Each structure stands twice: as C-alpha cells, then as structure tokens.
Amino acid sequence: VAAPPPVLQTRAELVAKLFQALDASGSGRLRSTEVKRFAELCGFSGDDATWAAQYRALCSLHKWDAERGADESAFGQLVDIRNSCTYCSDDDLYEMIAEIDERQQTHSSASSERSRRNTSKVNSPRSTASSTTRSPRRAAASAASPRPAAAVA
C-alpha cells in the first residue's frame, strides 16, 4: 500500500505533472508512444498492431492530429471522462506519477551501473540480456494497487 502523498495538489496540478512525466520528448504533446505509456498504466497490454489501432481510434474520437498527438488540455479531458477506461481519480493520478518516477529512478540507476561497468571492462563481451527488460504486462510489475474498473452509471 502506497503512502499518501506528502503534499496535496489540485487535480489540474496532478494532470499537468502526469502529462509532463509522460512527455518524454518534451514537445508539449503526447504522441503515440507516449500515450501508450499512459494506456499501459491504465492496464493496456496489447501488441504494437493493437496499440496502433487503439491510438488511431483515440485520435479519431477526440479529434487529435495523430502526428502531433494530444496537448495537455486534450490529455486533461481524456483523464476526466467518467465511465471510461481512461478516467483517472486523483489517487490514480498520484499512483501513475509515482510509478513513472520510480521507473525513471530505476532506469537511471541501472544506466549508471551499466555505464560504470562498461567503462571498467571496456573489452569484456556484453551480455545479450538486459537488466532493464520490462515485462509486456504492467499487472504484476507494480506494487501499487491496480486501477479500479470504471464505474458504469
């Protein structure tokens, strides 16, 4: 069970923080791969072809330009649609932000360790297995409780 956040934030601040955490490119827009990270946090576990179809459907439904992606306002609307699989409560937003932060810290630590090992063993053969390989499914990867299914009115 995750500890409650130390500082309460408004919903708008939480949405902005999640958007920024997902915006890996820093473009101010979430493109397909960045929206896919959000979808995976919501429980999506399909393959690339399934995701491509889902992303096209999201873009069509929400009138996003698929190449440009969703801006922060469009993303905020997406997480506010009640009774949908994309709706996020404030608790969901906190959990997603924490999970992304944890993954980034783990990735940074692993990258630093690999870099240190690689510089000390420049001529050693490299393993084909990566310590940062991620499971294609989120379900068991997170210690956080799973997101509740959207309520049906």
Side-chain angles (χ1 to χ4, degrees):
V1 178
V7 178
L8 296 176
Q9 296 176 318
T10 67
R11 181 167 181 80
E13 290 169 331
L14 290 170
V15 170
K17 190 168 184 174
L18 179 57
F19 180 88
Q20 290 166 1
L22 291 167
D23 185 13
S25 67
S27 67
R29 292 193 166 272
L30 301 181
R31 292 182 183 90
S32 178
T33 56
E34 295 161 326
V35 177
K36 184 179 180 187
R37 287 178 66 201
F38 170 71
E40 290 169 341
L41 291 167
C42 292
F44 176 80
S45 62
D47 62 16
D48 289 343
T50 303
W51 172 249
Q54 289 294 317
Y55 181 70
R56 283 191 305 273
L58 274 172
C59 290
S60 176
L61 180 65
H62 299 288
K63 312 269 188 281
W64 301 343
D65 177 323
E67 292 299 314
R68 295 184 70 209
D71 63 14
E72 188 175 327
S73 175
F75 179 73
Q77 292 171 1
L78 183 70
V79 300
D80 281 345
I81 302 170
R82 292 198 182 263
N83 301 324
S84 79
C85 61
T86 62
Y87 175 76
C88 295
S89 68
D90 289 359
D91 288 341
D92 293 333
L93 295 170
Y94 275 118
E95 288 176 14
M96 289 179 179
I97 292 163
E99 185 166 333
I100 291 170
D101 287 348
E102 181 179 308
R103 284 182 185 178
Q104 288 174 341
Q105 289 172 0
T106 300
H107 179 71
S108 293
S109 296
S111 294
S112 295
E113 177 61 22
R114 278 193 308 277
S115 177
R116 185 190 63 74
R117 281 194 313 251
N118 288 342
T119 56
S120 66
K121 298 179 180 182
V122 174
N123 294 323
S124 67
R126 297 177 92 168
S127 170
T128 57
S130 171
S131 62
T132 59
T133 301
R134 292 193 179 135
S135 165
R137 297 191 59 117
R138 171 190 183 267
S142 173
S145 62
R147 287 200 54 222
V152 177

